[in-house]
């Protein structure tokens, strides 16, 4: 039987809450009234990192040094251990995780930490066809200054599949959300784009969505078969800084991107 897809929301001082997919998408009006914006600073700081289920030492140190000053932290392979939940709820207003699969103790999946409460939350899962494990994605939305709404997509793409049918299938529901959203968008995560077919499908998808790719001058992203796995795409924003942090705390290196916090008009 197909497992129900949901997100677990962690907020300091409150019991964990299960969030099910909304009955309608953001553009239809299925959003909470906007509260405080993600930031009132000049820049919006974003950290993107496959945290490797916190299996290596120093993962918490990396988050404490680089994550606590970010307004958004997009994690993949995040296990909801007490240490991670404690970090998330002590530094962020809300943390939403989509359990992709349950390990012996704690579920693992994408997790988005934010300095504002999301006004929209849509968890997504796609099953790996060969391993029969699931990969997850999460679409959230947050208020920005100037009555804008930022859509944030955190994704861990399916890895072990023949061809790109399942890979493209996972991107489909995300595309339906992005294409209807009128405001700025950030889409980031571990895209497992290790083949020419996959990278072509990803770039084709980003073009169709009007997304641009963040470029890293000193590019130390984790690669497979010579191709980077982690990406940040955006729309309606301007990149101020972008860097890759080299660390042994995971099998992926974190991506640090700063955007001008005031969205720009599309060309």
């Amino acid at each position: 039987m197909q497992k129900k897809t949901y997100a677990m929301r962690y907020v300091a001082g409150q019991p964990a809450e299960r969030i099910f997919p909304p009955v309608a998408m953001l553009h239809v009006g299925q959003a909470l009234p906007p509260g405080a914006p993600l930031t009132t600073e000049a820049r919006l700081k974003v950290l993107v990192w496959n945290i490797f289920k916190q299996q290596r030492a120093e993962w918490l140190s990396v988050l404490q040094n680089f994550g606590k000053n970010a307004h958004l932290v997009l994690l993949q392979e995040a296990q909801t251990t007490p240490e991670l939940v404690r970090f998330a709820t002590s530094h962020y207003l809300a943390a939403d995780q989509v359990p992709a699969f349950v390990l012996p103790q704690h579920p693992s999946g994408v997790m988005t930490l934010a300095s504002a409460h999301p006004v929209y939350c849509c968890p997504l899962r796609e099953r790996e066809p060969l391993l029969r494990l699931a990969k997850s994605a999460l679409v959230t939305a947050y208020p920005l200054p100037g009555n804008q709404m930022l859509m944030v997509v955190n994704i861990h793409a399916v890895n072990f599949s023949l061809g790109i049918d399942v890979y493209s299938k996972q991107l489909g529901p995300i595309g339906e959300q992005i294409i209807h959203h009128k405001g700025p968008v950030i889409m980031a995560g571990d895209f497992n784009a290790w083949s020419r077919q996959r990278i072509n499908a990803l770039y084709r998808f980003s073009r169709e969505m009007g997304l641009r790719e963040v470029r890293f001058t000193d590019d130390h992203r984790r690669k497979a078969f010579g191709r980077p796995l982690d990406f940040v795409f955006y729309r309606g924003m301007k990149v101020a800084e972008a860097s890759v942090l080299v660390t042994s705390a995971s099998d992926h290196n974190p991506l640090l991107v700063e955007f001008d916090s005031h969205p720009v008009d599309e060309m």
Side-chain angles (χ1 to χ4, degrees), residues 58-112:
E58 304 301 319
W59 66 266
L60 185 56
S61 175
V62 170
L63 279 184
Q64 287 172 336
N65 287 329
F66 296 93
K68 67 179 181 182
N69 294 321
H71 303 102
L72 284 168
V73 176
L74 277 58
L75 301 175
Q76 301 82 48
E77 291 192 27
Q79 240 190 118
T80 48
T81 59
E83 295 84 1
L84 180 57
V85 172
R86 193 178 306 120
F87 170 83
T89 54
S90 60
H91 291 92
Y92 289 89
L93 280 182
D96 293 288
Q97 189 230 27
V98 184
F101 58 93
V102 178
L103 295 162
Q105 284 183 300
H106 308 288
S108 171
V110 298
M111 188 177 198
T112 300

Coordinates of all heavy atoms in Angstrom, one line a residue, residues 58-112:
E58 N 31.6 16.3 13.0 CA 31.7 17.7 12.6 C 30.5 18.2 11.9 O 30.5 19.4 11.5 CB 33.0 18.0 11.8 CG 34.3 17.6 12.5 CD 34.5 18.3 13.9 OE1 34.2 19.5 14.0 OE2 34.9 17.6 14.8
W59 N 29.5 17.4 11.6 CA 28.4 18.0 10.8 C 27.7 19.1 11.6 O 27.3 20.1 11.0 CB 27.3 16.9 10.5 CG 26.7 16.3 11.7 CD1 27.0 15.1 12.4 CD2 25.5 16.7 12.4 NE1 26.2 14.9 13.4 CE2 25.2 15.9 13.4 CE3 24.7 17.8 12.2 CZ2 24.2 16.0 14.3 CZ3 23.6 18.0 13.1 CH2 23.3 17.1 14.1
L60 N 27.6 18.9 12.9 CA 26.9 19.9 13.8 C 27.8 21.2 13.8 O 27.3 22.3 13.8 CB 26.7 19.4 15.2 CG 25.9 20.3 16.1 CD1 24.6 20.7 15.5 CD2 25.7 19.7 17.5
S61 N 29.1 21.0 13.8 CA 30.0 22.2 13.9 C 29.8 23.0 12.6 O 29.8 24.2 12.6 CB 31.4 21.7 14.0 OG 32.3 22.8 13.9
V62 N 29.7 22.3 11.4 CA 29.5 23.0 10.2 C 28.2 23.8 10.2 O 28.1 25.0 9.8 CB 29.5 22.0 9.0 CG1 29.1 22.7 7.7 CG2 30.9 21.4 8.8
L63 N 27.1 23.2 10.7 CA 25.8 23.9 10.8 C 25.9 25.1 11.7 O 25.4 26.1 11.4 CB 24.7 22.9 11.2 CG 24.1 22.0 10.1 CD1 23.0 21.2 10.7 CD2 23.6 22.8 8.9
Q64 N 26.6 24.9 12.8 CA 26.7 26.0 13.8 C 27.5 27.1 13.3 O 27.2 28.3 13.6 CB 27.3 25.4 15.1 CG 26.3 24.6 15.9 CD 27.0 23.9 17.1 OE1 28.2 23.7 17.1 NE2 26.2 23.5 18.1
N65 N 28.5 26.8 12.5 CA 29.3 27.9 12.0 C 28.7 28.6 10.8 O 28.9 29.8 10.6 CB 30.7 27.3 11.6 CG 31.6 27.0 12.8 OD1 31.4 27.7 13.8 ND2 32.4 26.0 12.7
F66 N 28.0 27.8 9.9 CA 27.6 28.4 8.7 C 26.0 28.5 8.6 O 25.5 29.3 7.8 CB 28.1 27.6 7.5 CG 29.6 27.7 7.4 CD1 30.5 26.8 8.0 CD2 30.2 28.8 6.7 CE1 31.8 26.9 7.9 CE2 31.6 28.9 6.6 CZ 32.4 27.9 7.2
G67 N 25.4 27.6 9.3 CA 23.9 27.5 9.2 C 23.2 28.5 10.0 O 22.1 29.0 9.6
K68 N 23.7 28.8 11.2 CA 23.0 29.6 12.1 C 22.8 31.1 11.6 O 21.9 31.8 12.1 CB 23.7 29.6 13.5 CG 25.0 30.3 13.5 CD 25.6 30.3 14.9 CE 26.9 31.0 15.0 NZ 27.5 31.0 16.3
N69 N 23.6 31.5 10.7 CA 23.5 32.9 10.2 C 22.7 32.9 8.9 O 22.4 34.0 8.3 CB 24.8 33.5 9.9 CG 25.6 33.7 11.2 OD1 25.0 34.1 12.2 ND2 26.9 33.5 11.3
A70 N 22.3 31.7 8.4 CA 21.5 31.6 7.1 C 20.0 31.9 7.4 O 19.6 31.6 8.5 CB 21.7 30.3 6.4
H71 N 19.3 32.4 6.5 CA 17.9 32.5 6.6 C 17.1 31.3 6.2 O 16.0 31.0 6.7 CB 17.4 33.7 5.8 CG 18.1 35.0 6.2 ND1 19.1 35.6 5.4 CD2 17.9 35.8 7.3 CE1 19.5 36.7 6.0 NE2 18.8 36.9 7.2
L72 N 17.8 30.5 5.3 CA 17.2 29.3 4.8 C 18.3 28.2 4.8 O 19.4 28.5 4.4 CB 16.7 29.4 3.4 CG 15.3 30.1 3.2 CD1 15.1 30.4 1.7 CD2 14.2 29.2 3.7
V73 N 18.0 27.0 5.4 CA 19.0 25.9 5.3 C 18.2 24.8 4.6 O 17.2 24.3 5.2 CB 19.5 25.5 6.7 CG1 20.4 24.3 6.6 CG2 20.3 26.6 7.3
L74 N 18.7 24.3 3.5 CA 18.0 23.3 2.8 C 18.9 22.0 2.9 O 20.0 21.9 2.3 CB 17.8 23.6 1.3 CG 16.6 24.5 0.9 CD1 16.6 25.8 1.7 CD2 16.5 24.7 -0.6
L75 N 18.5 21.1 3.7 CA 19.3 19.8 3.9 C 18.6 18.7 3.1 O 17.4 18.6 3.0 CB 19.3 19.5 5.4 CG 19.9 20.6 6.3 CD1 19.7 20.1 7.8 CD2 21.3 20.8 6.0
Q76 N 19.5 17.8 2.7 CA 19.1 16.5 2.1 C 19.7 15.4 3.0 O 20.7 15.6 3.6 CB 19.5 16.3 0.7 CG 18.9 17.4 -0.3 CD 19.7 18.7 -0.2 OE1 21.0 18.6 -0.3 NE2 19.1 19.8 -0.1
E77 N 19.0 14.2 3.0 CA 19.5 13.1 3.8 C 19.6 13.6 5.3 O 20.5 13.2 6.0 CB 20.8 12.5 3.4 CG 20.7 11.8 2.0 CD 21.9 10.9 1.7 OE1 22.6 10.5 2.6 OE2 22.1 10.7 0.5
A78 N 18.6 14.4 5.7 CA 18.6 14.8 7.1 C 17.8 13.8 8.0 O 16.7 13.6 7.8 CB 18.0 16.2 7.2
Q79 N 18.5 13.3 9.0 CA 17.9 12.4 9.9 C 17.4 13.2 11.1 O 18.2 14.0 11.7 CB 18.9 11.3 10.4 CG 18.6 9.9 10.1 CD 19.5 8.9 10.8 OE1 19.0 8.2 11.6 NE2 20.7 9.0 10.5
T80 N 16.2 13.0 11.6 CA 15.7 13.8 12.6 C 16.2 13.3 14.0 O 15.4 12.9 14.9 CB 14.1 13.8 12.6 OG1 13.6 12.5 12.5 CG2 13.6 14.7 11.5
T81 N 17.5 13.3 14.2 CA 18.1 13.0 15.5 C 17.8 14.1 16.5 O 17.5 15.3 16.1 CB 19.6 12.8 15.3 OG1 20.1 14.1 14.8 CG2 19.9 11.7 14.4
P82 N 17.8 13.9 17.8 CA 17.6 14.9 18.7 C 18.6 16.1 18.6 O 18.2 17.2 18.7 CB 17.8 14.2 20.1 CG 17.5 12.8 19.8 CD 18.0 12.5 18.4
E83 N 19.8 15.8 18.2 CA 20.8 16.9 18.0 C 20.4 17.8 16.9 O 20.5 19.1 17.0 CB 22.2 16.3 17.7 CG 22.8 15.5 18.9 CD 22.3 14.1 18.9 OE1 21.5 13.7 18.0 OE2 22.7 13.3 19.8
L84 N 19.9 17.3 15.7 CA 19.6 18.1 14.6 C 18.3 18.9 14.9 O 18.2 20.1 14.6 CB 19.4 17.3 13.3 CG 19.0 18.1 12.1 CD1 20.0 19.2 11.8 CD2 18.8 17.2 10.9
V85 N 17.3 18.2 15.5 CA 16.1 18.9 15.9 C 16.3 20.0 16.9 O 15.8 21.1 16.8 CB 15.0 17.9 16.4 CG1 13.8 18.6 17.0 CG2 14.6 16.9 15.3
R86 N 17.2 19.8 17.8 CA 17.6 20.8 18.8 C 18.2 22.0 18.1 O 17.9 23.2 18.4 CB 18.5 20.2 19.8 CG 18.7 21.1 21.1 CD 19.6 20.5 22.1 NE 19.2 19.1 22.4 CZ 19.9 18.0 22.3 NH1 21.1 18.1 21.7 NH2 19.4 16.8 22.6
F87 N 19.2 21.8 17.2 CA 19.8 22.9 16.4 C 18.7 23.6 15.6 O 18.7 24.9 15.6 CB 20.8 22.3 15.5 CG 21.4 23.4 14.5 CD1 22.4 24.3 14.9 CD2 20.8 23.5 13.2 CE1 22.8 25.2 14.0 CE2 21.2 24.5 12.3 CZ 22.2 25.3 12.7
A88 N 17.9 22.9 14.9 CA 16.9 23.5 14.1 C 15.9 24.4 14.9 O 15.6 25.6 14.5 CB 16.1 22.5 13.3
T89 N 15.4 23.9 16.0 CA 14.4 24.7 16.7 C 15.0 25.8 17.6 O 14.3 26.7 18.0 CB 13.6 23.7 17.6 OG1 14.5 23.0 18.5 CG2 12.8 22.8 16.8
S90 N 16.3 25.7 17.8 CA 16.9 26.8 18.6 C 17.4 27.9 17.8 O 17.7 29.0 18.3 CB 18.1 26.2 19.5 OG 19.1 25.6 18.7
H91 N 17.6 27.7 16.5 CA 18.1 28.7 15.6 C 17.1 29.2 14.5 O 17.3 30.2 13.9 CB 19.4 28.2 14.8 CG 20.6 28.1 15.7 ND1 20.9 26.9 16.3 CD2 21.5 29.0 16.1 CE1 22.0 27.0 17.1 NE2 22.4 28.3 17.0
Y92 N 16.0 28.5 14.4 CA 15.0 28.8 13.3 C 13.6 28.7 13.9 O 13.3 28.0 14.8 CB 15.2 27.8 12.1 CG 16.5 28.0 11.4 CD1 17.6 27.4 11.8 CD2 16.5 29.0 10.4 CE1 18.8 27.7 11.2 CE2 17.7 29.3 9.8 CZ 18.9 28.6 10.1 OH 20.0 28.9 9.5
L93 N 12.7 29.5 13.2 CA 11.3 29.6 13.7 C 10.6 28.3 13.3 O 9.7 27.8 14.1 CB 10.6 30.7 13.0 CG 10.8 32.1 13.7 CD1 10.0 33.2 13.0 CD2 10.4 32.1 15.2
A94 N 11.0 27.7 12.2 CA 10.3 26.4 11.8 C 11.3 25.6 11.0 O 12.1 26.0 10.3 CB 9.1 26.8 10.9
A95 N 11.1 24.3 11.1 CA 11.9 23.3 10.4 C 10.9 22.2 9.9 O 10.1 21.6 10.7 CB 13.0 22.6 11.2
D96 N 10.8 22.0 8.6 CA 9.9 21.0 8.0 C 10.7 19.9 7.3 O 11.6 20.2 6.5 CB 9.0 21.7 6.9 CG 8.1 22.7 7.6 OD1 7.1 22.2 8.2 OD2 8.3 23.9 7.4
Q97 N 10.4 18.7 7.6 CA 11.1 17.5 7.1 C 10.1 16.6 6.4 O 9.1 16.3 7.0 CB 11.9 16.8 8.1 CG 12.8 15.7 7.5 CD 12.7 14.3 8.2 OE1 11.7 14.0 8.7 NE2 13.8 13.6 8.1
V98 N 10.5 16.1 5.2 CA 9.6 15.1 4.6 C 10.3 13.7 4.7 O 11.4 13.5 4.1 CB 9.5 15.4 3.1 CG1 8.5 14.4 2.4 CG2 8.9 16.8 2.9
P99 N 9.8 12.9 5.6 CA 10.4 11.6 5.7 C 10.4 10.8 4.4 O 9.3 10.4 3.9 CB 9.6 10.9 6.8 CG 8.8 12.0 7.5 CD 8.6 13.0 6.4
A100 N 11.6 10.5 3.9 CA 11.6 9.7 2.6 C 11.6 8.2 3.0 O 10.8 7.4 2.4 CB 12.8 10.0 1.8
F101 N 12.4 7.8 4.0 CA 12.3 6.4 4.5 C 12.8 6.4 5.9 O 13.5 7.3 6.3 CB 13.1 5.5 3.6 CG 14.6 5.9 3.5 CD1 15.5 5.3 4.3 CD2 15.0 6.7 2.5 CE1 16.9 5.7 4.2 CE2 16.4 7.1 2.3 CZ 17.3 6.5 3.2
V102 N 12.4 5.4 6.6 CA 12.6 5.3 8.1 C 13.8 4.4 8.3 O 13.8 3.3 7.9 CB 11.4 4.8 8.8 CG1 11.7 4.7 10.3 CG2 10.2 5.7 8.6
L103 N 14.9 5.0 8.9 CA 16.0 4.2 9.3 C 15.7 3.6 10.7 O 14.6 3.8 11.2 CB 17.2 5.2 9.4 CG 17.6 5.7 8.0 CD1 18.5 7.0 8.2 CD2 18.3 4.7 7.2
P104 N 16.6 2.8 11.2 CA 16.3 2.1 12.5 C 15.7 3.0 13.6 O 14.8 2.6 14.3 CB 17.6 1.5 12.9 CG 18.3 1.2 11.6 CD 17.9 2.3 10.7
Q105 N 16.2 4.2 13.7 CA 15.7 5.1 14.7 C 15.0 6.3 14.2 O 13.9 6.6 14.7 CB 16.9 5.6 15.6 CG 17.5 4.5 16.5 CD 18.6 5.1 17.3 OE1 19.6 5.5 16.8 NE2 18.5 5.1 18.7
H106 N 15.5 7.0 13.3 CA 14.9 8.3 12.9 C 14.7 8.3 11.4 O 15.6 7.9 10.6 CB 15.9 9.4 13.3 CG 16.3 9.4 14.7 ND1 15.4 9.7 15.7 CD2 17.5 9.1 15.3 CE1 16.0 9.5 16.9 NE2 17.3 9.2 16.7
P107 N 13.6 8.9 10.9 CA 13.4 9.1 9.5 C 14.4 10.0 8.8 O 14.9 10.9 9.5 CB 12.0 9.6 9.4 CG 11.7 10.2 10.7 CD 12.5 9.4 11.7
S108 N 14.7 9.8 7.6 CA 15.6 10.6 6.8 C 14.9 11.2 5.6 O 14.0 10.5 5.0 CB 16.8 9.7 6.4 OG 17.6 10.5 5.5
G109 N 15.2 12.4 5.2 CA 14.7 13.0 4.0 C 15.1 14.5 3.9 O 16.0 14.9 4.7
V110 N 14.5 15.2 3.0 CA 14.8 16.6 2.9 C 14.3 17.4 4.1 O 13.2 17.0 4.6 CB 14.3 17.3 1.6 CG1 14.9 16.6 0.4 CG2 12.8 17.2 1.5
M111 N 15.0 18.4 4.5 CA 14.5 19.2 5.7 C 14.8 20.7 5.4 O 16.0 21.0 5.0 CB 15.2 18.8 6.9 CG 14.7 19.4 8.2 SD 15.6 18.7 9.6 CE 14.5 19.2 11.0
T112 N 13.9 21.6 5.5 CA 14.0 23.0 5.3 C 13.9 23.7 6.6 O 12.8 23.7 7.2 CB 13.0 23.5 4.2 OG1 13.2 22.8 3.0 CG2 13.2 25.0 4.0

